[in-house]
Amino acid sequence: MAAVSLRLGDLVWGKLGRYPPWPGKIVNPPKDLKKPRGKKCFFVKFFGTEDHAWIKVEQLKPYHAHKEEMIKINKGKRFQQAVDAVEEFLRRAKGKDQTSSHSSADDKNRRNSSEERSRPNSGDEKRKLSLSEGKVKKNMGEGKKRVSSGSSERGSKSPLKRAQEQSPRKRGRPPKDEKDLTIPESSTVKGMMAGPMAAFKWQPTVNEPVKDADPHFHHFLLSQTEKPTVCYQAITKKLKICEEETGSTSIQAADSTAVNGSITPTDKKIGFLGLGLMGSGIVSNLLKMGHTVTVWNRTAEKEGARLGRTPAEVVSTCDITFACVSDPKAAKDLVLGPSGVLQGIRPGKCYVDMSTVDADTVTELAQVIVSRGGRFLEAPVSGNQQLSNDGMLVILAAGDRGLYEDCSSCFQAMGKTSFFLGEVGNAAKMMLIVNMVQGSFMATIAEGLTLAQVTGQSQQTLLDILNQGQLASIFLDQKCQNILQGNFKPDFYLKYIQKDLRLAIALGDAVNHPTPMAAAANEVYKRAKALDQSDNDMSAVYRAYIH
C-alpha cells in the first residue's frame, strides 16, 4: 500500500460527485465553515471557477503526478482554461520566490560588506570579537535547529503567505482569485491506496461524456431544449413585479399584507427556482400568504416578468431557496452547473429541493450543499397542478429538522399537510412509492375503461359504479372524465409519472424487492410515450390501449 501525503497548500485533482476530476488547491476554509464529520477531507478551491468544497481524501490526487493522465481524458474548453490558470499560478509563485531569493542574497552581501568596513584592527579586540562571535554562532546554531524542527511540523512561510497574512479575507467568502489563496501551515494526512488509480475510478461513463464536451461546465441553461408549456399569466395577473438592483425578480402579492387565518409569513427572504406546472401554483400561494419571493426559471422568456439572471444569484440573496424541477438530471444541473445553486451557497444559506428524484441524487445534493456550510431539506410534494394552485399539496420532508421548522409558514401556504420523515433520502423513497401506486392505479383505470368498451359495456356506467363503491375518489373521477371527454390537458405529465415508475422499480431492484405491477404499468406508459403522449396528462395512457 502506497501512502499519498497531502497538506494544505498542495495542488490537487479533486472529484466532486459524478463530475470528472478538476484542478484545485487545498486551502484554509472560512473560519465559520465547520469540517464535515466522518472521513478525512480537505477544503479545495477549484481553478477556473468559483467552486470550493470539502473533498474526501480518497477523492484527491496530487496535481503534478497525474497531470498528463487527466489532460488525456478531459478535453473541454473550460477544463483547459482551468489547467492554464494552474500553470499561471505556478509561474507567478515561482517568480515571487526568485525575487525573494535575489533580495535575500543582496541583503546578505550588504551586511557582509558593512562588517568588513567596521572590523577592528587591534589584536586584542579581534580575539574578544572572536570569542563573542563564537558564542553568538553557538546560539544561532541552536536557534536554527529549533527553527528546522519547527518547520518540519509547520512548514515555511513563503512571500505569498506573508502577503496573505497582511490582507485577511472576509469571513465566509471564497477566495476571489488564486493570488488570494493562503499557503497555510502543513498538516499531513495519509490516504492508503493500492496504486496511483486504486482509490477510485475516474474513467468516463455513458452518463459522463468528457471527451467531446465538458459536463461540469456545460451550462444547464443552454442544455435545456424543452419549450415552455406554462406561462406566467396565472401569476402575473395577481402580482406586481419589482426589479431589484441585483437583477433578480422579486415579486410580491398585489396585497402584500395578506395573511390567511393563523398563517403568519416568515420574515426570511424566500427564493424559488422552477416555475413549471407545480412551481407556478406554489409561488402564487406563497405570495398570497404574504411572503416575498424571488424567482428564477430556466426558460428565459416568460410573459410579464423578467427573471433573475442565475440560480446562484437567487440563492445568494435569499435566506431559504426552494426548487422544483423535472428529474434527477435537472436537479443536479441546477445545483452543480455553472452559476448554479452551489455557487450561491454560503454558511447558513438554506436549500429545499421539492423535485421528485431518487434517493441517491438527493443524498449527493445534500452532501455538496452541506460541504459548503449550507443547510439542506428534501421536500417532494404529492399532488397535481390543480392541488398546487389550491394550496392543497401533501409535503414529504426529510433532512435538516431545524430547516423544516423554519419552512413552516411556507409549507402551510402551499399544502394541506406535511410529514417529516427523518434523514435525507427517506422522502425521496416515500414519494416514489406513492407515485408508483398512483401510476399503477391510473394504468388500471385505463385498462378497465378500454375493456368495458371492447366488450360492449358503457364506460360512463362503469364510472358511475366505481364512484359509488369503495374506490370512489376525486382522482378516479377526474381521470375517468378526462378519458371520456378526450381531454388530456396536462395536470400531471405522463412523462413524469413514467419517470417515477422507472425510479420506483430501480428502488425495488436495489433491495431485491419485486415490483411486477409497477413494471407492467411502466411498459404501458412507455408505449404511450412512443405514441407521442409524453406532454399530455398521465390519463393519456388510455391511448396506449386503443392503438
Side-chain angles (χ1 to χ4, degrees):
M1 299 287 282
V4 175
S5 298
L6 296 174
R7 64 180 184 179
L8 297 173
D10 281 352
L11 297 178
V12 294
W13 295 97
K15 194 173 191 306
L16 182 63
R18 66 187 176 95
Y19 292 99
W22 206 259
K25 183 176 181 179
I26 299 175
V27 300
N28 277 325
K31 293 181 180 179
D32 50 357
L33 183 57
K34 294 182 179 180
K35 191 173 184 179
R37 294 179 180 178
K39 295 185 178 180
K40 296 285 186 179
C41 56
F42 282 114
F43 194 74
V44 176
K45 168 68 171 66
F46 292 102
F47 285 90
T49 79
E50 290 299 320
D51 284 338
H52 51 277
W54 289 105
I55 306 294
K56 295 177 182 178
V57 170
E58 59 265 28
Q59 301 289 11
L60 293 172
K61 291 186 176 183
Y63 175 79
H64 295 288
H66 297 277
K67 177 182 173 183
E68 292 185 4
E69 171 192 342
M70 297 306 164
I71 291 177
K72 287 180 181 178
I73 65 173
N74 292 279
K75 301 296 183 182
K77 181 179 178 182
R78 293 297 297 273
F79 174 82
Q80 186 56 53
Q81 291 174 347
V83 174
D84 292 342
V86 178
E87 299 304 316
E88 177 61 25
F89 170 75
L90 290 172
R91 283 193 292 271
R92 286 203 309 267
K94 184 177 180 180
K96 290 181 180 180
D97 287 342
Q98 289 176 348
T99 301
S100 175
S101 177
H102 290 319
S103 177
S104 299
D106 291 342
D107 290 342
K108 183 176 181 180
N109 290 335
R110 283 195 293 272
R111 286 197 298 272
N112 290 341
S113 177
S114 176
E115 289 173 1
E116 275 300 323
R117 289 194 298 271
S118 61
R119 187 170 294 165
N121 295 322
S122 166
D124 292 338
E125 290 178 348
K126 286 182 180 180
R127 283 191 295 274
K128 291 179 180 178
L129 183 59
S130 177
L131 291 171
S132 176
E133 286 178 347
K135 293 179 179 179
V136 171
K137 287 180 179 178
K138 183 178 180 182
N139 291 335
M140 287 179 66
E142 293 175 354
K144 285 181 180 178
K145 290 179 181 178
R146 287 193 296 270
V147 171
S148 176
S149 174
S151 63
S152 69
E153 296 174 2
R154 298 185 298 272
S156 58
K157 294 182 180 178
S158 70
L160 183 61
K161 179 170 183 178
R162 289 195 294 271
Q164 176 63 24
E165 289 176 341
Q166 294 171 2
S167 56
R169 291 202 310 268
K170 293 182 180 179
R171 292 182 63 188
R173 301 288 296 179
K176 294 183 179 179
D177 193 82
E178 264 53 17
K179 65 184 179 182
D180 294 328
L181 293 175
T182 305
I183 299 180
E185 297 175 347
S186 300
S187 176
T188 302
V189 174
K190 295 184 178 181
M192 303 304 291
M193 298 191 292
M197 294 294 288
F200 54 96
K201 295 182 179 179
W202 282 349
Q203 297 302 321
T205 65
V206 174
N207 295 324
E208 296 181 34
V210 295
K211 292 186 177 181
D212 301 323
D214 183 352
H216 188 67
F217 289 101
H218 181 53
H219 203 307
F220 64 93
L221 275 174
L222 303 179
S223 68
Q224 303 297 337
T225 58
E226 294 182 13
K227 295 181 180 180
T229 55
V230 180
C231 69
Y232 272 162
Q233 290 178 342
I235 297 179
T236 54
K237 288 180 180 178
K238 306 174 185 177
L239 313 178
K240 56 182 180 181
I241 311 299
C242 307
E243 182 103 4
E244 296 182 341
E245 292 181 0
T246 61
S248 297
T249 304
S250 180
I251 53 182
Q252 296 178 329
D255 179 11
S256 60
T257 61
V259 176
N260 182 20
S262 61
I263 300 178
T264 302
T266 178
D267 58 359
K268 296 181 182 296
K269 295 180 180 179
I270 304 299
F272 203 95
L273 312 176
L275 298 174
L277 283 181
M278 307 295 279
S280 296
I282 291 172
V283 169
S284 291
N285 284 302
L286 287 171
L287 296 167
K288 288 176 186 177
M289 298 305 114
H291 299 85
T292 299
V293 186
T294 300
V295 300
W296 175 91
N297 198 66
R298 68 184 180 185
T299 306
E301 296 180 1
K302 290 282 188 179
E303 289 187 34
R306 180 171 161 237
L307 301 175
R309 289 190 293 256
T310 65
E313 184 180 84
V314 174
V315 172
S316 65
T317 57
C318 296
D319 300 308
I320 302 174
T321 301
F322 295 85
C324 188
V325 293
S326 58
D327 55 32
K329 182 182 183 303
K332 289 182 179 181
D333 286 343
L334 186 62
V335 173
L336 302 173
S339 300
V341 168
L342 190 62
Q343 292 189 15
I345 292 292
R346 297 290 180 269
K349 292 292 184 181
C350 302
Y351 186 63
V352 182
D353 195 338
M354 307 189 78
S355 313
T356 300
V357 297
D358 57 286
D360 288 343
T361 294
V362 79
T363 300
E364 179 182 344
L365 297 182
Q367 288 173 347
V368 296
I369 294 294
V370 172
S371 75
R372 294 284 288 268
R375 301 169 64 194
F376 183 87
L377 185 74
E378 58 166 332
V381 293
S382 177
N384 52 32
Q385 184 182 28
Q386 186 60 52
L387 293 175
S388 174
N389 293 339
D390 294 342
M392 296 296 286
L393 297 169
V394 176
I395 299 146
L396 311 182
D400 188 321
R401 181 62 186 255
L403 178 52
Y404 173 73
E405 300 295 342
D406 290 341
C407 293
S408 176
S409 71
C410 297
F411 288 159
Q412 290 181 65
M414 65 181 75
K416 64 178 181 180
T417 189
S418 63
F419 295 84
F420 184 78
L421 303 177
E423 64 182 17
V424 169
N426 285 345
K429 294 173 184 176
M430 185 67 80
M431 189 73 257
L432 291 177
I433 295 169
V434 169
N435 283 358
M436 178 189 74
V437 172
Q438 181 175 257
S440 299
F441 183 41
M442 180 67 251
T444 301
I445 293 171
E447 191 170 291
L449 286 172
T450 53
L451 182 59
Q453 183 181 35
V454 299
T455 58
Q457 305 304 307
S458 167
Q459 292 179 322
Q460 181 61 58
T461 300
L462 172 61
L463 174 58
D464 293 340
I465 294 170
L466 292 173
N467 277 336
Q468 294 300 316
Q470 293 178 327
L471 295 178
S473 65
I474 295 175
F475 177 83
L476 172 70
D477 186 62
Q478 287 180 342
K479 297 309 178 186
C480 284
Q481 292 294 350
N482 287 349
I483 292 171
L484 295 178
Q485 296 169 15
N487 176 16
F488 299 108
K489 179 182 177 182
D491 193 43
F492 192 120
Y493 283 116
L494 183 144
K495 60 185 176 184
Y496 293 159
I497 196 67
Q498 189 273 322
K499 175 262 300 182
D500 294 343
L501 280 166
R502 173 173 54 82
L503 294 177
I505 293 167
L507 176 63
D509 289 343
V511 293
N512 198 30
H513 181 77
T515 52
M517 299 298 136
N522 186 49
E523 293 303 315
V524 182
Y525 282 101
K526 286 164 63 177
R527 174 166 170 73
K529 287 177 65 176
L531 294 171
D532 200 26
Q533 301 300 309
S534 291
D535 292 326
N536 282 333
D537 186 72
M538 69 163 73
S539 53
V541 69
Y542 173 80
R543 288 179 170 169
Y545 285 97
I546 61 177
H547 286 85

